[in-house]
Amino acid sequence: MDVSLPVWALTIVGLCALIAVDFFVGGRKPHEVSLREAGIWTTVWVVLAGLFGLGVYLFGGATPSGEFFAGFVTEKSLSVDNLFVFVLIMAKFAVPSIYQQRVLMVGVLIALVLRAVFIAAGAAMISAFSWVFFLFGGFLVWTAWKLIRDARREEEPYEGNRFLRLVQRRVPSTDEYHGTRLFVRENGRRLMTPMLIVMLAIGSTDVLFALDSIPAIYGLTQDPYLVFTANAFALMGLRQLYFLIGGLLRKLVHLSYGLSVILGFIGVKLVLHALHETGVHVPQISIPVSLSVIFGVLLVTTVTSLLASRRERERAEADREHAGVGS
C-alpha cells in the first residue's frame, strides 16, 4: 500500500484516541476486571480490527487486506503465548488484583512504542538488504524448534531479564505497593514502587517476544503500515484478553506446538521469498494459503488442547475417587 504521511499521522492519532477512550472508560479507576467487562472490551477491539481491515480492503484491495488479517491473527495468537509469562510476572511481584489492569495497560503501551522502533528498523533493513529475508526466515525456523523444545520442559518461575535486574540494582525501591503511585518518598529518599517495576517487567518482556513476532509478520507482509497496525490492534486488546482467558491458559497445553508450526511455516515462506528475489524459481506461498494454514493450526491446537485438558481432569477425578475408595 502506498500510504501517505497524513494517513500515517491520522492512523496514529486515531489509535491514541482509542487508547485514551479505553483508559478513561475502563482503566482509569483501579478495580477487579469482571469476565463481562473483559469480554465486552475484547469484542470491541476485535471488531475495531475487523473494521480497519475492511477499510484496508476498500481503499487498498484484497491483497493488503488479507495481509493485514494474516498479520493480526498471527500477532494475536503469539500474544496469547505472552500471557503465560504475564501470569508468572503478576505472581512473582504479588500484584493486587485491583491494580493488574493498570499494570497491563502501561506495560502494553511501553511494548507498543518499543515495537514501533523494531518495525521501523526491520523496514529499513529489508529495504537496504534483500538477504535479510534469509536471516528472518532462518531465525523463525530456529525459534519454532526452540518453542517445541521449551514446551517439553516443566514450567519455570519467572526470574526477570537483564534490563529489569539492572534497574532494580541501580534504583532504590520499596517492597510495598502505594496504590498506583510509581515513586514514593520515605525518610527523605525517593523510592521506586513495585508498581513501576512490574510495568517495566511487562513492557521489557514483550520486547523479547517481539524478536520473533516482528520477523513473523514481515513474512506475511513487507508493508510497514500493515505491520504496525496489525501489531497495534493485537497488542491493544491484550489487557482485556488477559482477564478473559486467564482461566483457560492452563488448558491450552498444545499452544506452543501450534505456534511453533506457524512460525516454522512463515520461516519457510520467507526463505522461499528470499530465493525468489535472488532469481531462483521456487513456488511462493500466497496470502490465502497463509491464512488457511494459520487458522487451521490454531483451530486444531485449540481443540486438541481442550480435549487433552479434559482427559487430564477426568483422570485426576478418577484417581481421587480411587484413592477415596481405597482409604
Side-chain angles (χ1 to χ4, degrees):
M1 286 181 64
D2 185 14
V3 180
S4 63
L5 186 59
V7 173
W8 265 102
L10 184 62
T11 301
I12 293 174
V13 170
L15 291 173
C16 290
L18 291 174
I19 293 171
V21 171
D22 188 3
F23 174 76
F24 285 105
V25 174
R28 186 176 183 181
K29 183 179 179 181
H31 65 283
E32 293 189 27
V33 178
S34 64
L35 283 177
R36 180 176 180 274
E37 179 184 346
I40 290 174
W41 276 103
T42 298
T43 303
V44 167
W45 283 116
V46 171
V47 169
L48 288 174
L51 292 175
F52 182 85
L54 178 61
V56 172
Y57 173 79
L58 294 176
F59 291 99
T63 298
S65 177
E67 291 177 350
F68 169 78
F69 282 117
F72 172 74
V73 172
T74 300
E75 294 298 311
K76 200 70 173 178
S77 59
L78 289 172
S79 69
V80 172
D81 200 37
N82 298 14
L83 297 182
F84 285 98
V85 180
F86 290 175
V87 169
L88 297 178
I89 292 174
M90 293 293 188
K92 165 74 174 181
F93 293 98
V95 182
S97 57
I98 62 172
Y99 300 137
Q100 289 184 5
Q101 64 158 342
R102 178 66 60 85
V103 167
L104 289 169
M105 175 174 286
V106 177
V108 166
L109 289 178
I110 294 173
L112 184 57
V113 172
L114 294 177
R115 282 200 183 200
V117 176
F118 274 83
I119 292 168
M125 292 174 64
I126 288 173
S127 63
F129 311 105
S130 59
W131 52 262
V132 168
F133 288 112
F134 285 110
L135 181 64
F136 281 1
F139 178 75
L140 289 180
V141 173
W142 176 81
T143 303
W145 171 81
K146 186 174 181 294
L147 265 179
I148 294 178
R149 185 189 64 184
D150 292 344
R152 297 175 178 274
R153 297 178 178 176
E154 294 184 1
E155 185 180 276
E156 298 178 356
Y158 175 79
E159 296 181 354
N161 50 53
R162 291 182 179 179
F163 167 73
L164 188 62
R165 291 196 293 268
L166 177 64
V167 171
Q168 289 177 301
R169 285 199 304 266
R170 297 295 180 87
V171 182
S173 60
T174 177
D175 294 331
E176 297 180 3
Y177 285 91
H178 295 264
T180 58
R181 296 173 65 184
L182 306 181
F183 290 93
V184 293
R185 188 168 294 277
E186 295 181 357
N187 300 323
R189 299 179 64 200
R190 193 164 183 260
L191 304 177
M192 178 174 60
T193 69
M195 179 65 67
L196 178 56
I197 296 174
V198 72
M199 286 177 179
L200 293 175
I202 295 289
S204 59
T205 299
D206 185 82
V207 171
L208 299 179
F209 284 102
L211 293 178
D212 54 41
S213 66
I214 298 302
I217 194 171
Y218 269 118
L220 299 168
T221 176
Q222 284 82 59
D223 190 324
Y225 181 76
L226 298 178
V227 171
F228 173 74
T229 51
N231 264 274
F233 279 106
L235 278 178
M236 289 191 301
L238 191 59
R239 175 172 63 93
Q240 291 84 2
L241 194 62
Y242 171 87
F243 295 103
L244 181 64
I245 68 171
L248 293 176
L249 287 176
R250 300 288 181 183
K251 297 181 180 181
L252 299 177
V253 293
H254 296 159
L255 178 63
S256 292
Y257 297 103
L259 294 179
S260 68
V261 171
I262 292 174
L263 290 178
F265 167 78
I266 297 175
V268 172
K269 182 178 185 294
L270 271 173
V271 172
L272 291 175
H273 177 75
L275 290 171
H276 181 80
E277 291 292 311
T278 59
V280 180
H281 295 289
V282 293
Q284 293 216 77
I285 302 173
S286 66
I287 285 299
V289 172
S290 298
L291 273 171
S292 300
V293 170
I294 293 168
F295 275 113
V297 169
L298 290 177
L299 177 62
V300 171
T301 300
T302 301
V303 171
T304 58
S305 293
L306 295 178
L307 289 176
S309 296
R310 187 175 69 178
R311 286 196 298 268
E312 182 64 27
R313 185 174 63 253
E314 292 174 350
R315 188 182 302 114
E317 291 175 354
D319 290 342
R320 284 196 297 269
E321 291 178 359
H322 180 74
V325 172
S327 60

